[in-house]
Amino acid sequence: MKNHIMDKIASTLLILLWTYTGLDKLIQFEASRKAFLNQPMPNELEEVLAYVIPVSELLLALLLLFSITRWWGYLGSILLLTVFTTYVGLIWVGAFPRVPCNCAGILESLGWAEHFVLNLGFIGVAVWGLRSLKFKVES
């Protein structure tokens, strides 16, 4: 029972995160696309990411919604959050010549350190959820 509650809390938090960030990028698509085009990487990749990232975020929310696909949602969340956290960490330590950002809504107001810690927290939530699924299966 405890693992079921842990799974529900973790999946709900991640569903809220991915739905919010994915929809925000799609609703404000032109601003989001311009922010992607400001990233320190090839423009062709930035153009693809402008579409792939919000769709991936919404897909993760969808995977987390159903118990049969939740494992994949947690795994994808860990992967995407690790990529985001690494990128934020590189920006935070000054690895890029300029400071680009494509953060969603209220996340725009966070500094790089806060953003890094928030991402680490959500990685923890995803790992917690994944572990709760493992324990549910073993019970």
Side-chain angles (χ1 to χ4, degrees), residues 25-75:
K25 286 179 184 84
L26 291 177
I27 290 168
Q28 300 181 48
F29 184 74
E30 272 312 306
S32 177
R33 183 176 163 273
K34 285 179 185 175
F36 273 107
L37 292 173
N38 188 38
Q39 304 302 308
M41 56 187 83
N43 278 0
E44 296 79 21
L45 179 59
E46 295 166 348
E47 190 72 49
V48 170
L49 290 176
Y51 293 91
V52 170
I53 296 294
V55 170
S56 296
E57 290 170 338
L58 293 172
L59 177 61
L60 286 171
L62 193 61
L63 289 171
L64 289 159
L65 196 56
F66 303 103
S67 59
I68 194 150
T69 57
R70 195 163 294 144
W71 186 87
W72 290 105
Y74 284 133
L75 201 60

mmCIF file of all heavy atoms in Angstrom, residues 25-75:
data_model
loop_
_atom_site.group_PDB
_atom_site.id
_atom_site.type_symbol
_atom_site.label_atom_id
_atom_site.label_comp_id
_atom_site.label_asym_id
_atom_site.label_seq_id
_atom_site.Cartn_x
_atom_site.Cartn_y
_atom_site.Cartn_z
ATOM 1 N N LYS A 25 5.415 25.456 -23.720
ATOM 2 C CA LYS A 25 6.228 25.606 -24.931
ATOM 3 C C LYS A 25 5.357 25.601 -26.191
ATOM 4 O O LYS A 25 5.662 26.303 -27.150
ATOM 5 C CB LYS A 25 7.272 24.486 -25.009
ATOM 6 C CG LYS A 25 8.417 24.649 -24.031
ATOM 7 C CD LYS A 25 9.387 23.491 -24.147
ATOM 8 C CE LYS A 25 10.483 23.575 -23.116
ATOM 9 N NZ LYS A 25 10.088 23.003 -21.830
ATOM 10 N N LEU A 26 4.296 24.805 -26.193
ATOM 11 C CA LEU A 26 3.417 24.765 -27.370
ATOM 12 C C LEU A 26 2.515 25.996 -27.460
ATOM 13 O O LEU A 26 2.308 26.531 -28.554
ATOM 14 C CB LEU A 26 2.582 23.488 -27.362
ATOM 15 C CG LEU A 26 3.360 22.192 -27.605
ATOM 16 C CD1 LEU A 26 2.428 20.986 -27.506
ATOM 17 C CD2 LEU A 26 4.077 22.208 -28.954
ATOM 18 N N ILE A 27 1.993 26.439 -26.326
ATOM 19 C CA ILE A 27 1.120 27.620 -26.321
ATOM 20 C C ILE A 27 1.895 28.860 -26.754
ATOM 21 O O ILE A 27 1.381 29.706 -27.481
ATOM 22 C CB ILE A 27 0.476 27.808 -24.931
ATOM 23 C CG1 ILE A 27 -0.550 26.688 -24.699
ATOM 24 C CG2 ILE A 27 -0.163 29.187 -24.792
ATOM 25 C CD1 ILE A 27 -1.050 26.586 -23.267
ATOM 26 N N GLN A 28 3.141 28.959 -26.305
ATOM 27 C CA GLN A 28 3.997 30.095 -26.670
ATOM 28 C C GLN A 28 5.058 29.625 -27.666
ATOM 29 O O GLN A 28 6.242 29.894 -27.495
ATOM 30 C CB GLN A 28 4.662 30.656 -25.418
ATOM 31 C CG GLN A 28 3.670 31.150 -24.387
ATOM 32 C CD GLN A 28 4.370 31.719 -23.179
ATOM 33 O OE1 GLN A 28 5.291 32.513 -23.315
ATOM 34 N NE2 GLN A 28 3.928 31.330 -22.002
ATOM 35 N N PHE A 29 4.593 28.934 -28.697
ATOM 36 C CA PHE A 29 5.524 28.236 -29.577
ATOM 37 C C PHE A 29 6.557 29.153 -30.232
ATOM 38 O O PHE A 29 7.737 28.815 -30.282
ATOM 39 C CB PHE A 29 4.801 27.420 -30.659
ATOM 40 C CG PHE A 29 5.764 26.629 -31.487
ATOM 41 C CD1 PHE A 29 6.370 25.497 -30.965
ATOM 42 C CD2 PHE A 29 6.108 27.037 -32.772
ATOM 43 C CE1 PHE A 29 7.300 24.775 -31.713
ATOM 44 C CE2 PHE A 29 7.027 26.319 -33.523
ATOM 45 C CZ PHE A 29 7.615 25.188 -32.988
ATOM 46 N N GLU A 30 6.152 30.285 -30.738
ATOM 47 C CA GLU A 30 7.118 31.153 -31.429
ATOM 48 C C GLU A 30 8.196 31.648 -30.476
ATOM 49 O O GLU A 30 9.376 31.663 -30.818
ATOM 50 C CB GLU A 30 6.426 32.315 -32.140
ATOM 51 C CG GLU A 30 5.994 31.980 -33.551
ATOM 52 C CD GLU A 30 7.077 31.298 -34.391
ATOM 53 O OE1 GLU A 30 8.205 31.830 -34.519
ATOM 54 O OE2 GLU A 30 6.815 30.211 -34.938
ATOM 55 N N ALA A 31 7.812 32.034 -29.277
ATOM 56 C CA ALA A 31 8.802 32.473 -28.276
ATOM 57 C C ALA A 31 9.697 31.304 -27.885
ATOM 58 O O ALA A 31 10.917 31.459 -27.739
ATOM 59 C CB ALA A 31 8.107 33.050 -27.049
ATOM 60 N N SER A 32 9.103 30.142 -27.726
ATOM 61 C CA SER A 32 9.863 28.949 -27.367
ATOM 62 C C SER A 32 10.838 28.577 -28.480
ATOM 63 O O SER A 32 12.008 28.269 -28.222
ATOM 64 C CB SER A 32 8.897 27.788 -27.092
ATOM 65 O OG SER A 32 9.593 26.611 -26.821
ATOM 66 N N ARG A 33 10.367 28.622 -29.710
ATOM 67 C CA ARG A 33 11.214 28.300 -30.862
ATOM 68 C C ARG A 33 12.383 29.270 -30.949
ATOM 69 O O ARG A 33 13.530 28.865 -31.184
ATOM 70 C CB ARG A 33 10.386 28.340 -32.136
ATOM 71 C CG ARG A 33 11.148 27.944 -33.371
ATOM 72 C CD ARG A 33 10.219 27.915 -34.604
ATOM 73 N NE ARG A 33 11.017 27.922 -35.807
ATOM 74 C CZ ARG A 33 11.470 29.021 -36.419
ATOM 75 N NH1 ARG A 33 11.179 30.223 -35.944
ATOM 76 N NH2 ARG A 33 12.192 28.932 -37.500
ATOM 77 N N LYS A 34 12.123 30.554 -30.747
ATOM 78 C CA LYS A 34 13.204 31.552 -30.778
ATOM 79 C C LYS A 34 14.216 31.281 -29.671
ATOM 80 O O LYS A 34 15.421 31.442 -29.874
ATOM 81 C CB LYS A 34 12.627 32.961 -30.646
ATOM 82 C CG LYS A 34 11.966 33.455 -31.904
ATOM 83 C CD LYS A 34 11.390 34.838 -31.729
ATOM 84 C CE LYS A 34 10.634 35.238 -32.993
ATOM 85 N NZ LYS A 34 9.951 36.527 -32.827
ATOM 86 N N ALA A 35 13.734 30.879 -28.508
ATOM 87 C CA ALA A 35 14.646 30.545 -27.412
ATOM 88 C C ALA A 35 15.501 29.330 -27.765
ATOM 89 O O ALA A 35 16.695 29.294 -27.462
ATOM 90 C CB ALA A 35 13.857 30.295 -26.128
ATOM 91 N N PHE A 36 14.895 28.337 -28.418
ATOM 92 C CA PHE A 36 15.675 27.174 -28.860
ATOM 93 C C PHE A 36 16.727 27.602 -29.878
ATOM 94 O O PHE A 36 17.858 27.115 -29.863
ATOM 95 C CB PHE A 36 14.776 26.091 -29.470
ATOM 96 C CG PHE A 36 14.221 25.128 -28.476
ATOM 97 C CD1 PHE A 36 12.877 25.171 -28.124
ATOM 98 C CD2 PHE A 36 15.028 24.176 -27.868
ATOM 99 C CE1 PHE A 36 12.358 24.279 -27.196
ATOM 100 C CE2 PHE A 36 14.521 23.284 -26.939
ATOM 101 C CZ PHE A 36 13.187 23.337 -26.602
ATOM 102 N N LEU A 37 16.364 28.518 -30.775
ATOM 103 C CA LEU A 37 17.300 28.984 -31.797
ATOM 104 C C LEU A 37 18.426 29.826 -31.203
ATOM 105 O O LEU A 37 19.408 30.124 -31.885
ATOM 106 C CB LEU A 37 16.560 29.766 -32.887
ATOM 107 C CG LEU A 37 15.617 28.928 -33.753
ATOM 108 C CD1 LEU A 37 14.796 29.806 -34.677
ATOM 109 C CD2 LEU A 37 16.375 27.872 -34.533
ATOM 110 N N ASN A 38 18.319 30.202 -29.938
ATOM 111 C CA ASN A 38 19.351 30.963 -29.238
ATOM 112 C C ASN A 38 20.329 30.051 -28.490
ATOM 113 O O ASN A 38 21.238 30.528 -27.839
ATOM 114 C CB ASN A 38 18.686 31.941 -28.260
ATOM 115 C CG ASN A 38 19.675 32.890 -27.639
ATOM 116 O OD1 ASN A 38 20.606 33.347 -28.287
ATOM 117 N ND2 ASN A 38 19.490 33.171 -26.369
ATOM 118 N N GLN A 39 20.139 28.752 -28.590
ATOM 119 C CA GLN A 39 20.989 27.805 -27.859
ATOM 120 C C GLN A 39 22.341 27.660 -28.557
ATOM 121 O O GLN A 39 22.442 27.853 -29.766
ATOM 122 C CB GLN A 39 20.303 26.431 -27.771
ATOM 123 C CG GLN A 39 18.929 26.440 -27.146
ATOM 124 C CD GLN A 39 18.910 27.003 -25.742
ATOM 125 O OE1 GLN A 39 19.678 26.585 -24.891
ATOM 126 N NE2 GLN A 39 18.035 27.949 -25.504
ATOM 127 N N PRO A 40 23.385 27.319 -27.799
ATOM 128 C CA PRO A 40 24.727 27.185 -28.393
ATOM 129 C C PRO A 40 24.937 25.816 -29.058
ATOM 130 O O PRO A 40 25.720 24.989 -28.596
ATOM 131 C CB PRO A 40 25.652 27.360 -27.180
ATOM 132 C CG PRO A 40 24.848 26.859 -26.033
ATOM 133 C CD PRO A 40 23.417 27.212 -26.347
ATOM 134 N N MET A 41 24.173 25.570 -30.103
ATOM 135 C CA MET A 41 24.292 24.320 -30.865
ATOM 136 C C MET A 41 23.871 24.603 -32.299
ATOM 137 O O MET A 41 23.345 25.678 -32.586
ATOM 138 C CB MET A 41 23.450 23.209 -30.226
ATOM 139 C CG MET A 41 21.987 23.520 -30.051
ATOM 140 S SD MET A 41 21.060 22.292 -29.109
ATOM 141 C CE MET A 41 21.391 22.744 -27.432
ATOM 142 N N PRO A 42 24.078 23.671 -33.211
ATOM 143 C CA PRO A 42 23.710 23.916 -34.620
ATOM 144 C C PRO A 42 22.224 24.250 -34.779
ATOM 145 O O PRO A 42 21.368 23.645 -34.128
ATOM 146 C CB PRO A 42 24.045 22.588 -35.309
ATOM 147 C CG PRO A 42 25.056 21.928 -34.419
ATOM 148 C CD PRO A 42 24.720 22.367 -33.023
ATOM 149 N N ASN A 43 21.925 25.212 -35.645
ATOM 150 C CA ASN A 43 20.543 25.657 -35.860
ATOM 151 C C ASN A 43 19.609 24.531 -36.291
ATOM 152 O O ASN A 43 18.443 24.520 -35.929
ATOM 153 C CB ASN A 43 20.485 26.788 -36.886
ATOM 154 C CG ASN A 43 20.795 28.134 -36.260
ATOM 155 O OD1 ASN A 43 21.052 28.238 -35.066
ATOM 156 N ND2 ASN A 43 20.785 29.165 -37.081
ATOM 157 N N GLU A 44 20.119 23.582 -37.079
ATOM 158 C CA GLU A 44 19.273 22.476 -37.529
ATOM 159 C C GLU A 44 18.795 21.657 -36.330
ATOM 160 O O GLU A 44 17.636 21.254 -36.274
ATOM 161 C CB GLU A 44 20.037 21.562 -38.509
ATOM 162 C CG GLU A 44 20.448 22.222 -39.795
ATOM 163 C CD GLU A 44 21.711 23.092 -39.647
ATOM 164 O OE1 GLU A 44 22.490 22.898 -38.693
ATOM 165 O OE2 GLU A 44 21.894 23.973 -40.502
ATOM 166 N N LEU A 45 19.688 21.424 -35.388
ATOM 167 C CA LEU A 45 19.327 20.681 -34.180
ATOM 168 C C LEU A 45 18.361 21.487 -33.318
ATOM 169 O O LEU A 45 17.387 20.940 -32.784
ATOM 170 C CB LEU A 45 20.581 20.317 -33.383
ATOM 171 C CG LEU A 45 20.361 19.562 -32.073
ATOM 172 C CD1 LEU A 45 19.629 18.239 -32.314
ATOM 173 C CD2 LEU A 45 21.697 19.327 -31.382
ATOM 174 N N GLU A 46 18.603 22.774 -33.206
ATOM 175 C CA GLU A 46 17.719 23.648 -32.413
ATOM 176 C C GLU A 46 16.299 23.634 -32.976
ATOM 177 O O GLU A 46 15.330 23.589 -32.220
ATOM 178 C CB GLU A 46 18.263 25.082 -32.418
ATOM 179 C CG GLU A 46 19.596 25.224 -31.741
ATOM 180 C CD GLU A 46 20.264 26.548 -32.044
ATOM 181 O OE1 GLU A 46 19.819 27.279 -32.961
ATOM 182 O OE2 GLU A 46 21.247 26.850 -31.364
ATOM 183 N N GLU A 47 16.199 23.669 -34.281
ATOM 184 C CA GLU A 47 14.876 23.652 -34.935
ATOM 185 C C GLU A 47 14.137 22.353 -34.614
ATOM 186 O O GLU A 47 12.949 22.361 -34.291
ATOM 187 C CB GLU A 47 15.048 23.819 -36.447
ATOM 188 C CG GLU A 47 13.767 24.057 -37.190
ATOM 189 C CD GLU A 47 13.180 25.439 -36.959
ATOM 190 O OE1 GLU A 47 13.915 26.434 -37.082
ATOM 191 O OE2 GLU A 47 11.963 25.505 -36.663
ATOM 192 N N VAL A 48 14.837 21.236 -34.683
ATOM 193 C CA VAL A 48 14.233 19.936 -34.363
ATOM 194 C C VAL A 48 13.821 19.906 -32.889
ATOM 195 O O VAL A 48 12.716 19.467 -32.551
ATOM 196 C CB VAL A 48 15.210 18.784 -34.697
ATOM 197 C CG1 VAL A 48 14.710 17.467 -34.142
ATOM 198 C CG2 VAL A 48 15.422 18.693 -36.200
ATOM 199 N N LEU A 49 14.696 20.375 -32.008
ATOM 200 C CA LEU A 49 14.411 20.349 -30.566
ATOM 201 C C LEU A 49 13.199 21.213 -30.202
ATOM 202 O O LEU A 49 12.477 20.895 -29.255
ATOM 203 C CB LEU A 49 15.628 20.799 -29.765
ATOM 204 C CG LEU A 49 16.806 19.836 -29.768
ATOM 205 C CD1 LEU A 49 17.984 20.436 -29.013
ATOM 206 C CD2 LEU A 49 16.415 18.495 -29.176
ATOM 207 N N ALA A 50 12.973 22.283 -30.959
ATOM 208 C CA ALA A 50 11.818 23.149 -30.693
ATOM 209 C C ALA A 50 10.510 22.368 -30.778
ATOM 210 O O ALA A 50 9.536 22.681 -30.095
ATOM 211 C CB ALA A 50 11.796 24.323 -31.672
ATOM 212 N N TYR A 51 10.489 21.337 -31.610
ATOM 213 C CA TYR A 51 9.306 20.486 -31.751
ATOM 214 C C TYR A 51 9.390 19.254 -30.850
ATOM 215 O O TYR A 51 8.416 18.858 -30.219
ATOM 216 C CB TYR A 51 9.142 20.041 -33.213
ATOM 217 C CG TYR A 51 8.806 21.162 -34.155
ATOM 218 C CD1 TYR A 51 9.812 21.870 -34.811
ATOM 219 C CD2 TYR A 51 7.491 21.531 -34.384
ATOM 220 C CE1 TYR A 51 9.513 22.920 -35.663
ATOM 221 C CE2 TYR A 51 7.174 22.569 -35.239
ATOM 222 C CZ TYR A 51 8.189 23.263 -35.877
ATOM 223 O OH TYR A 51 7.884 24.306 -36.718
ATOM 224 N N VAL A 52 10.559 18.640 -30.809
ATOM 225 C CA VAL A 52 10.720 17.356 -30.111
ATOM 226 C C VAL A 52 10.589 17.494 -28.597
ATOM 227 O O VAL A 52 9.952 16.647 -27.952
ATOM 228 C CB VAL A 52 12.077 16.705 -30.490
ATOM 229 C CG1 VAL A 52 12.390 15.516 -29.609
ATOM 230 C CG2 VAL A 52 12.057 16.294 -31.948
ATOM 231 N N ILE A 53 11.148 18.537 -28.014
ATOM 232 C CA ILE A 53 11.129 18.671 -26.548
ATOM 233 C C ILE A 53 9.711 18.793 -26.000
ATOM 234 O O ILE A 53 9.326 18.015 -25.113
ATOM 235 C CB ILE A 53 12.035 19.831 -26.070
ATOM 236 C CG1 ILE A 53 13.503 19.541 -26.409
ATOM 237 C CG2 ILE A 53 11.850 20.110 -24.579
ATOM 238 C CD1 ILE A 53 14.120 18.376 -25.679
ATOM 239 N N PRO A 54 8.880 19.727 -26.475
ATOM 240 C CA PRO A 54 7.529 19.802 -25.892
ATOM 241 C C PRO A 54 6.694 18.546 -26.141
ATOM 242 O O PRO A 54 5.942 18.112 -25.260
ATOM 243 C CB PRO A 54 6.892 21.033 -26.549
ATOM 244 C CG PRO A 54 7.755 21.391 -27.691
ATOM 245 C CD PRO A 54 9.108 20.804 -27.442
ATOM 246 N N VAL A 55 6.853 17.939 -27.314
ATOM 247 C CA VAL A 55 6.125 16.702 -27.596
ATOM 248 C C VAL A 55 6.609 15.593 -26.660
ATOM 249 O O VAL A 55 5.806 14.818 -26.127
ATOM 250 C CB VAL A 55 6.260 16.308 -29.084
ATOM 251 C CG1 VAL A 55 5.726 14.912 -29.332
ATOM 252 C CG2 VAL A 55 5.544 17.328 -29.970
ATOM 253 N N SER A 56 7.915 15.520 -26.437
ATOM 254 C CA SER A 56 8.472 14.516 -25.520
ATOM 255 C C SER A 56 7.970 14.730 -24.097
ATOM 256 O O SER A 56 7.653 13.765 -23.391
ATOM 257 C CB SER A 56 9.998 14.578 -25.525
ATOM 258 O OG SER A 56 10.502 14.247 -26.786
ATOM 259 N N GLU A 57 7.901 15.974 -23.674
ATOM 260 C CA GLU A 57 7.407 16.270 -22.324
ATOM 261 C C GLU A 57 5.956 15.814 -22.162
ATOM 262 O O GLU A 57 5.603 15.183 -21.156
ATOM 263 C CB GLU A 57 7.553 17.767 -22.027
ATOM 264 C CG GLU A 57 9.004 18.189 -21.868
ATOM 265 C CD GLU A 57 9.215 19.684 -21.808
ATOM 266 O OE1 GLU A 57 8.346 20.459 -22.279
ATOM 267 O OE2 GLU A 57 10.259 20.100 -21.280
ATOM 268 N N LEU A 58 5.138 16.101 -23.153
ATOM 269 C CA LEU A 58 3.738 15.667 -23.086
ATOM 270 C C LEU A 58 3.604 14.154 -23.195
ATOM 271 O O LEU A 58 2.743 13.555 -22.538
ATOM 272 C CB LEU A 58 2.912 16.381 -24.164
ATOM 273 C CG LEU A 58 2.764 17.891 -23.947
ATOM 274 C CD1 LEU A 58 2.098 18.540 -25.152
ATOM 275 C CD2 LEU A 58 2.001 18.193 -22.676
ATOM 276 N N LEU A 59 4.451 13.532 -23.989
ATOM 277 C CA LEU A 59 4.452 12.072 -24.096
ATOM 278 C C LEU A 59 4.826 11.440 -22.749
ATOM 279 O O LEU A 59 4.213 10.454 -22.329
ATOM 280 C CB LEU A 59 5.409 11.612 -25.190
ATOM 281 C CG LEU A 59 5.561 10.103 -25.351
ATOM 282 C CD1 LEU A 59 4.226 9.459 -25.723
ATOM 283 C CD2 LEU A 59 6.608 9.779 -26.405
ATOM 284 N N LEU A 60 5.809 12.009 -22.064
ATOM 285 C CA LEU A 60 6.178 11.494 -20.746
ATOM 286 C C LEU A 60 5.005 11.614 -19.771
ATOM 287 O O LEU A 60 4.744 10.687 -19.000
ATOM 288 C CB LEU A 60 7.408 12.229 -20.206
ATOM 289 C CG LEU A 60 8.723 11.851 -20.873
ATOM 290 C CD1 LEU A 60 9.841 12.781 -20.428
ATOM 291 C CD2 LEU A 60 9.077 10.402 -20.602
ATOM 292 N N ALA A 61 4.304 12.737 -19.808
ATOM 293 C CA ALA A 61 3.124 12.898 -18.940
ATOM 294 C C ALA A 61 2.095 11.817 -19.252
ATOM 295 O O ALA A 61 1.508 11.223 -18.334
ATOM 296 C CB ALA A 61 2.515 14.289 -19.126
ATOM 297 N N LEU A 62 1.901 11.542 -20.516
ATOM 298 C CA LEU A 62 0.946 10.506 -20.932
ATOM 299 C C LEU A 62 1.398 9.119 -20.470
ATOM 300 O O LEU A 62 0.585 8.333 -19.962
ATOM 301 C CB LEU A 62 0.784 10.548 -22.453
ATOM 302 C CG LEU A 62 -0.363 9.771 -23.054
ATOM 303 C CD1 LEU A 62 -1.699 10.291 -22.536
ATOM 304 C CD2 LEU A 62 -0.319 9.872 -24.572
ATOM 305 N N LEU A 63 2.670 8.809 -20.623
ATOM 306 C CA LEU A 63 3.188 7.513 -20.170
ATOM 307 C C LEU A 63 3.026 7.346 -18.658
ATOM 308 O O LEU A 63 2.744 6.247 -18.181
ATOM 309 C CB LEU A 63 4.667 7.369 -20.553
ATOM 310 C CG LEU A 63 4.984 7.173 -22.027
ATOM 311 C CD1 LEU A 63 6.489 7.273 -22.274
ATOM 312 C CD2 LEU A 63 4.439 5.854 -22.543
ATOM 313 N N LEU A 64 3.212 8.423 -17.927
ATOM 314 C CA LEU A 64 3.096 8.368 -16.462
ATOM 315 C C LEU A 64 1.645 8.246 -16.001
ATOM 316 O O LEU A 64 1.384 7.841 -14.869
ATOM 317 C CB LEU A 64 3.738 9.608 -15.835
ATOM 318 C CG LEU A 64 5.263 9.647 -15.914
ATOM 319 C CD1 LEU A 64 5.777 11.066 -15.760
ATOM 320 C CD2 LEU A 64 5.872 8.716 -14.884
ATOM 321 N N LEU A 65 0.733 8.569 -16.864
ATOM 322 C CA LEU A 65 -0.685 8.547 -16.513
ATOM 323 C C LEU A 65 -1.219 7.124 -16.327
ATOM 324 O O LEU A 65 -2.099 6.889 -15.503
ATOM 325 C CB LEU A 65 -1.470 9.271 -17.620
ATOM 326 C CG LEU A 65 -2.884 9.702 -17.341
ATOM 327 C CD1 LEU A 65 -2.965 10.599 -16.118
ATOM 328 C CD2 LEU A 65 -3.441 10.429 -18.556
ATOM 329 N N PHE A 66 -0.669 6.185 -17.058
ATOM 330 C CA PHE A 66 -1.188 4.812 -17.038
ATOM 331 C C PHE A 66 -0.189 3.871 -16.378
ATOM 332 O O PHE A 66 1.000 3.890 -16.704
ATOM 333 C CB PHE A 66 -1.490 4.345 -18.469
ATOM 334 C CG PHE A 66 -2.447 5.253 -19.182
ATOM 335 C CD1 PHE A 66 -1.986 6.157 -20.128
ATOM 336 C CD2 PHE A 66 -3.801 5.219 -18.882
ATOM 337 C CE1 PHE A 66 -2.864 7.012 -20.776
ATOM 338 C CE2 PHE A 66 -4.690 6.068 -19.525
ATOM 339 C CZ PHE A 66 -4.223 6.968 -20.470
ATOM 340 N N SER A 67 -0.681 3.023 -15.496
ATOM 341 C CA SER A 67 0.211 2.134 -14.747
ATOM 342 C C SER A 67 0.986 1.192 -15.664
ATOM 343 O O SER A 67 2.128 0.843 -15.371
ATOM 344 C CB SER A 67 -0.573 1.345 -13.692
ATOM 345 O OG SER A 67 -1.583 0.575 -14.287
ATOM 346 N N ILE A 68 0.403 0.803 -16.780
ATOM 347 C CA ILE A 68 1.073 -0.140 -17.680
ATOM 348 C C ILE A 68 2.282 0.478 -18.383
ATOM 349 O O ILE A 68 3.216 -0.224 -18.760
ATOM 350 C CB ILE A 68 0.077 -0.740 -18.704
ATOM 351 C CG1 ILE A 68 0.695 -1.939 -19.385
ATOM 352 C CG2 ILE A 68 -0.370 0.280 -19.710
ATOM 353 C CD1 ILE A 68 -0.293 -2.968 -19.813
ATOM 354 N N THR A 69 2.300 1.815 -18.535
ATOM 355 C CA THR A 69 3.410 2.496 -19.212
ATOM 356 C C THR A 69 4.231 3.363 -18.261
ATOM 357 O O THR A 69 5.177 4.026 -18.693
ATOM 358 C CB THR A 69 2.880 3.387 -20.351
ATOM 359 O OG1 THR A 69 1.928 4.314 -19.807
ATOM 360 C CG2 THR A 69 2.246 2.558 -21.455
ATOM 361 N N ARG A 70 3.874 3.357 -16.989
ATOM 362 C CA ARG A 70 4.516 4.263 -16.023
ATOM 363 C C ARG A 70 6.023 4.019 -15.907
ATOM 364 O O ARG A 70 6.793 4.961 -15.755
ATOM 365 C CB ARG A 70 3.834 4.142 -14.663
ATOM 366 C CG ARG A 70 4.206 5.281 -13.746
ATOM 367 C CD ARG A 70 3.244 5.410 -12.584
ATOM 368 N NE ARG A 70 1.940 5.800 -13.106
ATOM 369 C CZ ARG A 70 0.786 5.376 -12.597
ATOM 370 N NH1 ARG A 70 0.763 4.574 -11.551
ATOM 371 N NH2 ARG A 70 -0.355 5.763 -13.124
ATOM 372 N N TRP A 71 6.453 2.762 -15.982
ATOM 373 C CA TRP A 71 7.881 2.458 -15.883
ATOM 374 C C TRP A 71 8.653 3.235 -16.952
ATOM 375 O O TRP A 71 9.687 3.833 -16.675
ATOM 376 C CB TRP A 71 8.100 0.945 -16.033
ATOM 377 C CG TRP A 71 9.505 0.509 -15.805
ATOM 378 C CD1 TRP A 71 10.082 0.186 -14.609
ATOM 379 C CD2 TRP A 71 10.533 0.344 -16.799
ATOM 380 N NE1 TRP A 71 11.399 -0.167 -14.801
ATOM 381 C CE2 TRP A 71 11.707 -0.083 -16.143
ATOM 382 C CE3 TRP A 71 10.568 0.518 -18.176
ATOM 383 C CZ2 TRP A 71 12.893 -0.338 -16.800
ATOM 384 C CZ3 TRP A 71 11.765 0.264 -18.846
ATOM 385 C CH2 TRP A 71 12.899 -0.153 -18.162
ATOM 386 N N TRP A 72 8.131 3.225 -18.175
ATOM 387 C CA TRP A 72 8.771 3.958 -19.271
ATOM 388 C C TRP A 72 8.732 5.467 -19.018
ATOM 389 O O TRP A 72 9.677 6.189 -19.364
ATOM 390 C CB TRP A 72 8.106 3.629 -20.607
ATOM 391 C CG TRP A 72 8.404 2.237 -21.041
ATOM 392 C CD1 TRP A 72 7.566 1.161 -21.003
ATOM 393 C CD2 TRP A 72 9.647 1.745 -21.532
ATOM 394 N NE1 TRP A 72 8.214 0.035 -21.447
ATOM 395 C CE2 TRP A 72 9.498 0.360 -21.786
ATOM 396 C CE3 TRP A 72 10.885 2.336 -21.791
ATOM 397 C CZ2 TRP A 72 10.523 -0.426 -22.289
ATOM 398 C CZ3 TRP A 72 11.908 1.542 -22.296
ATOM 399 C CH2 TRP A 72 11.717 0.186 -22.530
ATOM 400 N N GLY A 73 7.640 5.941 -18.421
ATOM 401 C CA GLY A 73 7.533 7.358 -18.093
ATOM 402 C C GLY A 73 8.568 7.789 -17.069
ATOM 403 O O GLY A 73 9.182 8.850 -17.200
ATOM 404 N N TYR A 74 8.763 6.956 -16.047
ATOM 405 C CA TYR A 74 9.793 7.259 -15.050
ATOM 406 C C TYR A 74 11.186 7.223 -15.673
ATOM 407 O O TYR A 74 12.007 8.115 -15.437
ATOM 408 C CB TYR A 74 9.745 6.267 -13.883
ATOM 409 C CG TYR A 74 8.628 6.497 -12.902
ATOM 410 C CD1 TYR A 74 7.844 5.437 -12.465
ATOM 411 C CD2 TYR A 74 8.351 7.759 -12.389
ATOM 412 C CE1 TYR A 74 6.818 5.625 -11.552
ATOM 413 C CE2 TYR A 74 7.327 7.957 -11.478
ATOM 414 C CZ TYR A 74 6.564 6.890 -11.060
ATOM 415 O OH TYR A 74 5.563 7.083 -10.152
ATOM 416 N N LEU A 75 11.451 6.214 -16.463
ATOM 417 C CA LEU A 75 12.762 6.079 -17.094
ATOM 418 C C LEU A 75 13.032 7.257 -18.036
ATOM 419 O O LEU A 75 14.115 7.847 -18.012
ATOM 420 C CB LEU A 75 12.828 4.751 -17.851
ATOM 421 C CG LEU A 75 14.205 4.210 -18.156
ATOM 422 C CD1 LEU A 75 14.996 3.964 -16.886
ATOM 423 C CD2 LEU A 75 14.072 2.919 -18.946
#
